[in-house]
Amino acid sequence: LCPTIPLRANYIHWLHDLLEASPVSGPITVLDIGTGASCIYPLLGVRLYDWNFVATDTDEVSVEYARANVRLNDLDKKISVTNSSQTHLLTGVLSPNEKFTFSMCNPPFFSSLEKSDFDEEEQEKDGAGEDSNITTNSGTSSSKTSAGRNFEGSLVHSPNPRTVCTATEAELATPGGEVEFLRRMIKESLELGPRIRWYTSMVGRKADLKEIKKNLFDSGVKNIRTTEFFQGRTTRWAIGWSFCEDIYNELLAQAKQKKQKKQTNKETFFRVT
């Protein structure tokens, strides 16, 4: 899987950190956007923290495989897998009175399959790390290529022999890449507001993270959190935003306390005779 399972677990742990900073009562419910055939985030979230998940995907075959993985682990009561619309990421999923603690997503990284075929040196300059070095059978070949067959039947290759990465075309690329994907998510989050306590997503490029943050600021979102994940040579980022006033006020209070504590602990030097 790209990213690897340990890195994905880091994403789950970060959500838990957000929860500890702004606790809620009752069961934790998470919306996983684009869960993929493995349904890996819900499986991890249930095993690590006993959360409840609604997992969505636009690909019917991926949905069937995801449901099979849920049944295989006897987690039908904790994880629900459903088809989602190509045009709506969030607003087409939530029923009128439905609420979630988190939404999470690992969006398609590239703007096209051709764009996915850039060299490893350029990726490392960009901070993407080695495991995003992915091409499909439409890209260039390599003497050492790890290959898999996606669920639509076409081969998806990783030319880096240290990384075996198999994905559907929809999981690799989307028009506009992850920036455009998250612009759509931000727009829909403005409609839903606090019905999802924390909107979150993993981000593959540091430059994209800056652009996504700017889009949030320009949209008037004032409560934004980011983090950075390190796993071996791979680096990923995550971003979260919230419209809940209690979270904003609580985090402001925490920041104020931290500043006061820092001032209190300031060292003072003087001389005596």
Side-chain angles (χ1 to χ4, degrees):
L1 289 172
C2 296
T4 60
I5 289 177
L7 200 149
R8 290 173 187 260
N10 287 342
Y11 186 4
I12 297 284
H13 290 314
W14 179 63
L15 296 185
H16 184 260
D17 290 343
L18 291 177
L19 191 62
E20 286 198 326
S22 54
V24 296
S25 58
I28 305 303
T29 55
V30 185
L31 174 62
D32 180 24
I33 303 163
T35 194
S38 66
C39 202
I40 187 62
Y41 282 123
L43 293 176
L44 285 171
V46 174
R47 294 304 189 200
L48 291 171
Y49 294 113
D50 197 34
W51 293 344
N52 302 292
F53 281 80
V54 172
T56 71
D57 204 287
T58 59
D59 182 74
E60 292 184 6
V61 179
S62 292
V63 167
E64 289 306 312
Y65 274 91
R67 286 171 177 164
N69 284 327
V70 171
R71 290 193 299 270
L72 187 65
N73 289 275
D74 296 320
L75 293 175
D76 304 74
K77 294 182 179 179
K78 302 291 293 183
I79 302 170
S80 171
V81 184
T82 183
N83 283 100
S84 59
S85 166
Q86 292 274 3
T87 55
H88 297 288
L89 302 172
L90 299 167
T91 54
V93 177
L94 274 70
S95 58
N97 297 315
E98 193 172 19
K99 294 183 179 181
F100 287 92
T101 313
F102 298 108
S103 69
M104 65 184 306
C105 183
N106 185 31
F109 188 78
F110 301 105
S111 59
S112 67
L113 291 177
E114 289 74 19
K115 290 287 185 181
S116 71
D117 189 24
F118 60 91
D119 62 56
E120 185 174 351
E121 182 181 353
E122 287 303 311
Q123 289 183 58
E124 297 205 354
K125 287 179 183 177
D126 198 35
E130 67 176 50
D131 72 346
S132 59
N133 192 9
I134 302 166
T135 61
T136 68
N137 54 345
S138 62
T140 57
S141 61
S142 170
S143 59
K144 293 185 179 180
T145 299
S146 301
R149 185 172 297 276
N150 72 16
F151 296 102
E152 296 172 354
S154 59
L155 286 173
V156 178
H157 300 277
S158 170
N160 186 343
R162 294 167 294 179
T163 303
V164 179
C165 191
T166 304
T168 65
E169 293 182 4
E171 290 170 337
L172 289 177
T174 187
E178 61 185 357
V179 171
E180 182 58 33
F181 190 94
L182 285 169
R183 278 201 188 107
R184 290 171 55 202
M185 190 181 296
I186 291 167
K187 184 177 179 181
E188 292 187 29
S189 75
L190 293 170
E191 296 180 41
L192 295 172
R195 288 177 59 189
I196 297 177
R197 190 166 175 82
W198 280 104
Y199 299 85
T200 74
S201 179
M202 192 176 282
V203 179
R205 290 191 179 106
K206 191 172 184 179
D208 289 350
L209 181 69
K210 293 177 181 178
E211 194 167 344
I212 293 159
K213 284 176 67 176
K214 182 180 184 302
N215 189 270
L216 284 165
F217 284 127
D218 291 346
S219 299
V221 181
K222 57 185 178 181
N223 189 7
I224 304 168
R225 292 293 177 271
T226 62
T227 192
E228 191 169 5
F229 303 129
F230 298 98
Q231 198 70 45
R233 290 179 57 195
T234 302
T235 303
R236 289 289 186 273
W237 294 263
I239 190 164
W241 64 97
S242 178
F243 300 97
C244 296
E245 286 298 323
D246 64 307
I247 290 179
Y248 183 68
N249 294 334
E250 189 170 347
L251 293 176
L252 276 181
Q254 291 174 5
K256 186 177 180 180
Q257 289 175 358
K258 187 176 180 181
K259 184 177 180 180
Q260 290 173 342
K261 185 178 180 180
K262 186 176 180 181
Q263 290 174 342
T264 303
N265 294 336
K266 186 177 180 180
E267 294 182 348
T268 303
F269 298 91
F270 55 90
R271 297 171 182 253
V272 294
T273 57

